[in-house]
Amino acid sequence: MTRDSLIRALEAAESHCAGRGEKLTPVRRRVLELVLEADAPVKAYDLLEALKPGPGAAKPPTVYRALDFLMAAGLVHKVEALNAFVGCSHAHDDGGAELFICSDCGSVEERHGAPDPVNMPDGFVIERSVVEHFGHCANCRH
Amino acid sequence: MTRDSLIRALEAAESHCAGRGEKLTPVRRRVLELVLEADAPVKAYDLLEALKPGPGAAKPPTVYRALDFLMAAGLVHKVEALNAFVGCSHAHDDGGAELFICSDCGSVEERHGAPDPVNMPDGFVIERSVVEHFGHCANCRH
DNA sequence: TGCGAGTGGTGATATTATAACATCCGTGAT
DNA sequence: ATCACGGATGTTATAATATCACCACTCGCA
């Protein structure tokens, strides 16, 4: 992600939060920035490390609280199978995203609006879906 | 799961392993039994507890090794979003399953053969998919 | 001014998972 | 028979991930 698009994403996030009556505080903004900067899913404790240099070294709850907020706002998604987090420049309030994660380079592509499964159990009502595809992206495929 | 179908599932598992040139040892068999008996996803440390009563109290690696084996054999699936495990009476060597998990009663239904995503990034090749739907089953819906 | 909600700091601890090395046991070669 | 080997398990310790409980601060507002 380029410097410019990072800045644009942060501004978009700011107004996205404002629209929801919530505040993108400095900690939250910094965490979002770190997640967006990364070119692969980021671990919570790596964020923790990255926040250390500052005068107030962050503790785990700080990071997890920021991540919870960002996930609720749709600005960050958790990759459940990796216990890691990916940023999302175009926030959506709808449920979950469909993620395509390259096992070689770590890049993540996000898609939305997958149709309901064809083969659903009778009467089941979906509230939240986790869909994560692991494989090789066009660049890494040989 | 009834007593009878449990026994049948264990026998099926036994021959499934034999067909692969692998052994369903007592520890592995016991872990599979515990997972199948449960009517909801089971945590690794609950299995650990359940194995304690025996003379040799199991340690974490024992349980995780058994689970790794059973997953490789397709007899157990991990619910990534819950860090928990579900049994699967009809083993399949193919990749992953699509899981429907009821948030009320914990019941899990398994489906297979979902079509490839319609909206896949150009050139992406899927190796393994994690698909977990959370919601309410027919019995718990109101 | 004082209250209350929201936010973040801090220390402790719970939960999930693996590393590293020792031991045991069955199988096949010598 | 016995030795060497590989697979499975036992054992100790620790790594990695996540939450709890409580306190302090700040800001908007009655």
Side-chain angles (χ1 to χ4, degrees), chain B residues 75-124:
Chain B
L75 295 164
V76 156
H77 300 294
K78 179 171 189 180
V79 185
E80 297 287 354
L82 299 178
N83 295 316
F85 302 84
V86 294
C88 165
S89 39
H90 48 299
H92 11 250
D93 289 313
D94 61 352
E98 189 167 4
L99 302 177
F100 296 82
I101 300 138
C102 177
S103 303
D104 296 321
C105 68
S107 71
V108 179
E109 286 286 329
E110 185 176 340
R111 293 287 181 279
H112 291 94
D116 269 9
V118 283
N119 218 357
M120 189 154 51
D122 270 2
F124 196 95

Side-chain angles (χ1 to χ4, degrees), chain B residues 19 60 81-82 115 126 128 141:
Chain B
L82 299 178
I126 295 178
R128 165 187 175 237
R141 190 153 56 106

